[in-house]
Amino acid sequence: MHKLVLVVSGQVDLEGTSGGWVIIPNHLVFIPAGRPFIFQTAKGTVLHVAHLRPDICNWHHEGCWATNAPPLAREMLQYAVRWTPDEACKLDVARHFFSALSHLCRDWFSKPRIMWLPAARSPGMRAVMLYIRDHLADASMDGACAATGLSVRTLQRHCEEELGFGWREFIREARILRAMELLAQGRHPVGSVSKIVGFKSLSAFTVAFAKRVGMSPSEFIRHHATVRREAAPGSEPACDADAIQAI
């Protein structure tokens, strides 16, 4: 069955055949039926998960997909986990509910993929990815070439062919992804995050972040602070990867 996952609090690391995601609170991920994946959660993560029948889902994507969770999605998934698996199969109201949930996926996942980094295929590009992971703040093409033995021309060609990004675009994407992780935690000021991920100025970081995410870093922090308050102890049951409430 398809899996529709809402991250209520905490963090999820998802790896599929075409790449990987880091999914932070207030985001949805769609995992299609039969798709191999590795799913890991940080300690204390709270998730709402719905299993959707492929035969009633009029939208399908070949791979995993992550996006922002609109308010309707959050409300529906919070409601969905009240039913037991047996009730979800037998109750008419539950069947109609999950049919509506399935049909809404087309709208919710209409935007480009976010928080996603593609998987490298060649040994050279896997080495590049490791270099970027360990040197994100000061990563450079010259540094990547020195660390991996690839020429500038070969590195740029492999970035385009395997990752779908040019070098500059890929570094920017990796930095914004890491910035989203740090800002969502609510423990780091915007200026510190800008330096940690390698932007030369706060203004450049703010412009790049807003262009990619659709809100400024400060707005992003406020938004996720609200999400954390809504998911505070007493409002949602804490669970881990082995104790997900699922339908």
Side-chain angles (χ1 to χ4, degrees):
M1 300 179 77
H2 300 323
K3 296 172 182 62
L4 182 62
V5 182
L6 170 67
V7 181
V8 179
S9 63
Q11 180 177 305
V12 169
D13 292 307
L14 173 65
E15 182 180 346
T17 55
S18 62
W21 291 258
V22 175
I23 307 168
I24 55 181
N26 199 37
H27 286 79
L28 292 172
V29 60
F30 181 89
I31 305 173
R35 188 74 172 187
F37 65 93
I38 299 173
F39 196 89
Q40 300 180 74
T41 63
K43 184 178 180 181
T45 294
V46 177
L47 308 172
H48 289 161
V49 183
H51 289 95
L52 307 175
R53 287 170 45 191
D55 60 319
I56 63 170
C57 191
N58 70 345
W59 177 85
H60 177 68
H61 188 264
E62 292 301 321
C64 301
W65 199 266
T67 190
N68 290 311
L72 178 59
R74 298 199 302 269
E75 291 295 330
M76 290 186 72
L77 279 160
Q78 183 177 359
Y79 193 90
V81 298
R82 299 178 182 182
W83 284 306
T84 67
D86 188 57
E87 290 172 338
C89 294
K90 293 181 178 180
L91 296 177
D92 285 341
V93 64
R95 290 198 299 269
H96 290 304
F97 182 93
F98 283 100
S99 177
L101 193 61
S102 298
H103 291 305
L104 284 166
C105 285
R106 181 186 298 276
D107 293 334
W108 294 340
F109 292 93
S110 61
K111 297 180 180 180
R113 274 189 278 206
I114 61 171
M115 298 177 295
W116 173 74
L117 289 178
R121 298 191 299 271
S122 66
M125 284 308 297
R126 285 195 288 270
V128 169
M129 299 286 271
L130 290 174
Y131 164 78
I132 293 172
R133 183 197 67 185
D134 295 336
H135 301 275
L136 184 60
D138 59 353
S140 67
M141 181 170 282
D142 288 342
C145 290
T148 62
L150 298 175
S151 67
V152 170
R153 184 174 180 179
T154 299
L155 174 57
Q156 184 69 10
R157 177 169 56 84
H158 279 297
C159 280
E160 296 283 356
E161 291 176 351
E162 296 187 35
L163 307 180
F165 293 98
W167 169 261
R168 290 182 181 273
E169 292 77 18
F170 182 69
I171 287 295
R172 186 181 301 113
E173 192 76 4
R175 285 173 172 162
I176 294 298
L177 172 62
R178 179 59 177 153
M180 291 175 72
E181 291 181 59
L182 294 173
L183 293 173
Q185 294 170 7
R187 299 194 298 267
H188 308 278
V190 174
S192 296
V193 171
S194 174
K195 294 178 181 179
I196 290 170
V197 301
F199 280 85
K200 294 182 179 180
S201 71
L202 178 58
S203 60
F205 171 62
T206 300
V207 169
F209 189 93
K211 183 177 180 181
R212 182 65 180 88
V213 182
M215 64 181 75
S216 71
S218 296
E219 291 170 331
F220 188 84
I221 289 175
R222 289 194 294 270
H223 175 72
H224 283 277
T226 300
V227 172
R228 286 194 301 274
R229 286 195 298 271
E230 293 175 349
S235 62
E236 296 292 346
C239 61
D240 58 26
D242 297 322
I244 296 171
Q245 294 185 345
I247 301 297

